[in-house]
Structures are given as C-alpha cells and as structure tokens.
Amino acid sequence: MKIGIIGSGHIGGTLTRRLRALGHDVTVANSRGPASLTELAEETGATAGTVEQAVDHADLVVIAIPLLALPALPAELFEGKVVVDADNYYPQRDGDIAELLDRSLSSSRWTAEHLKGARVVKAFNNIQAQHLLENGRPAGSADRIALPVAGDEADAKRIVMELVDALGFDSVDAGTLDESWRQQPDTPVYGTDLDAAGVRQGLAAARP
C-alpha cells in the first residue's frame, strides 16, 4: 500500500521502519519539515515529505502526533481516507480538553470530529514503541501480542486489522470509535501486551 505517516516520534518512527520492512511505499511527515527526516528516510527507504505529500494518494494514513497538534492539520486533506489514530490524550501534555477530561467523548471520536469525512480507526495506541518494533510474531505463535482495533466502518477496520496481522500481532475488534475509550490510557489493555483472549477480557473489564 501507499501509506502516509504523520509524526516521526516513537510510534510514527517505529511504524515507518516496520511498514517499510514489509515493502509498503511510506511517506513520513512531521511538524519540523522534510529536512528533519533525512536520517529516518535514509535508514528506512521511506520518503520524507510534507503533511500534504504524505496524505496525497495514500491508501492509508497513520496519525501519531501529540493530540494538541491535531486541530492544526488541514482536515480537508483526509476526506475519504482510512486514517489510523494512534494518538492518546495526556492532559499534562495536551492541556485541558473538557470533553476528553470528563470522558464524554473518546479521544478518537474527538479526532474524527476534527477530521470530518475521514474513515478513522483507532489502533497502535496501547503498545509501547519498542514492543511494536521488536515483538511481532508469526500467526499462531503462543506468545503473540494482540492489539485492539476500533472503528465505525467495517471495511476500514478490516484493512487496519490486516495490517496489524502483517506486522506480527493478533487484532481484536474493539467496537466503534465511541467504545474506543476502552483502549485509552488507564485501562486494562493499555501497555499490557495481552494475548487476544486477554485483550477481549480487558476491554470488557474497562470502566469509564
């Protein structure tokens, strides 16, 4: 696939490395501009680009930036795109966002409301970057980690779940974007590297 990655930090950089290793055509962008991505591009064979270049013609776009930076993205670029939301809301970093503080919205629903027309799917937000880089395993492995995947559109969710599998992780359908709070920070599945049965149990055990 042609994949755009917005963000070159821990998760964005890791997905750039992993997805290029799988043979995908990756363009990566960040807030500092393409010149700051020369080293990552040379290491991985990814293309360093602007946000517009990363999204343009992409089959799928990953957003892995601080949540506070998301409203500055040009929402019209993402119209009709499958967008993987790998973000988390951390009040100490992102500031007070009332509807996220009181959990009246999941952070992915908040993201989807900013990116009207995008096909948003929540994934990769609950695993540590080092584990995402190193701990993928072949299908059927006894120690295979599972990742929850939430979204409103079955087809968009299927695309992301297939990508999760290709990266070496089982995927667990975590419901809709409104249910994706069950994989946010301070829930049983956050940062815990559970197997598929454990993820299902953790999602069910989560409390608002």
Side-chain angles (χ1 to χ4, degrees):
M1 288 192 291
K2 289 181 67 68
I3 297 176
I5 298 180
I6 313 301
S8 58
H10 294 305
I11 294 295
T14 295
L15 285 171
T16 299
R17 293 176 175 91
R18 292 294 323 275
L19 293 169
R20 276 296 301 139
L22 291 176
H24 294 288
D25 181 352
V26 176
T27 300
V28 59
N30 65 14
S31 60
R32 298 183 302 280
S36 69
L37 295 165
T38 301
E39 188 174 323
L40 180 62
E42 289 177 350
E43 174 197 338
T44 61
T47 300
T50 64
V51 169
E52 289 77 9
Q53 288 167 337
V55 178
D56 193 29
H57 304 307
D59 302 306
L60 177 145
V61 180
V62 178
I63 295 179
I65 60 176
L67 200 75
L68 62 86
L70 187 128
L73 293 177
E76 66 278 1
L77 283 181
F78 299 87
E79 180 79 31
K81 300 285 186 182
V82 175
V83 174
V84 179
D85 172 22
D87 291 347
N88 288 303
Y89 173 54
Y90 301 113
Q92 66 273 23
R93 179 195 67 189
D94 300 317
D96 293 347
I97 301 174
E99 56 267 52
L100 299 184
L101 281 172
D102 67 15
R103 296 207 174 198
S104 59
L105 285 183
S106 69
S107 65
S108 284
R109 178 61 68 198
W110 183 86
T111 294
E113 290 191 354
H114 281 282
L115 302 179
K116 296 287 189 187
R119 305 163 68 195
V120 176
V121 178
K122 183 77 161 185
F124 302 118
N125 73 297
N126 73 308
I127 185 170
Q128 295 178 34
Q130 196 72 18
H131 296 186
L132 181 60
L133 181 66
E134 298 176 349
N135 293 353
R137 299 288 185 269
S141 299
D143 59 346
R144 205 180 202 217
I145 295 169
L147 302 180
V149 179
D152 294 342
E153 289 191 36
D155 186 54
K157 192 154 50 172
R158 176 191 57 77
I159 292 168
V160 176
M161 293 175 86
E162 289 175 355
L163 195 63
V164 168
D165 180 66
L167 287 165
F169 303 91
D170 286 334
S171 58
V172 172
D173 191 327
T176 66
L177 290 184
D178 290 328
E179 296 173 284
S180 65
W181 62 268
R182 295 178 181 275
Q183 66 195 76
Q184 292 178 176
D186 302 319
T187 63
V189 303
Y190 183 75
T192 46
D193 291 347
L194 301 170
D195 63 11
V199 168
R200 291 186 187 97
Q201 291 168 0
L203 291 170
R207 295 293 177 264

